[in-house]
Amino acid sequence: MKFPIHCPACDSEMSVVKLFCGSCETEVAGKFNFPTLMRLEPEEQEFVVQFLLYSGSLKEMANKMGKSYPTVRNKLDELIEKIKTF
């Protein structure tokens, strides 16, 4: 399930207003922004995780994913541009 970061009614970005500890039931209320990676789509988040696991080797990622190096490089460039807009 995708974590909702945009309002289903008006499409504005939502914010977290309450955190809860299931162990001791402590609650913290306030307005918290989503971390940058949480703003990415799940498949984009997975791409970032794979990038880290392959130590930033796009060549290895491309081989493992069965895609060309330029395709993987373009995906990384798209993510970089998207993150710059946050």
Side-chain angles (χ1 to χ4, degrees):
M1 175 182 229
K2 182 182 170 189
F3 194 83
I5 61 170
H6 290 98
C7 175
C10 71
D11 204 37
S12 294
E13 187 170 312
M14 297 179 74
S15 61
V16 177
V17 294
K18 185 167 139 180
L19 300 171
F20 176 77
C21 175
S23 177
C24 69
E25 299 188 7
T26 296
E27 293 182 7
V28 178
K31 185 177 178 191
F32 309 98
N33 293 323
F34 285 103
T36 300
L37 295 179
M38 287 282 299
R39 295 177 177 186
L40 297 175
E41 297 295 324
E43 59 274 2
E44 295 169 332
Q45 292 175 17
E46 182 58 29
F47 183 92
V48 172
V49 168
Q50 292 302 311
F51 181 74
L52 294 173
L53 291 174
Y54 286 106
S55 301
S57 173
L58 296 177
K59 183 179 177 182
E60 277 191 52
M61 283 183 68
N63 287 335
K64 190 69 170 181
M65 295 168 69
K67 298 188 178 189
S68 70
Y69 175 88
T71 299
V72 176
R73 177 75 232 187
N74 287 340
K75 178 65 176 172
L76 178 61
D77 290 340
E78 289 170 10
L79 284 174
I80 290 168
E81 288 306 311
K82 184 173 185 177
I83 288 170
K84 285 180 182 178
T85 66
F86 294 155

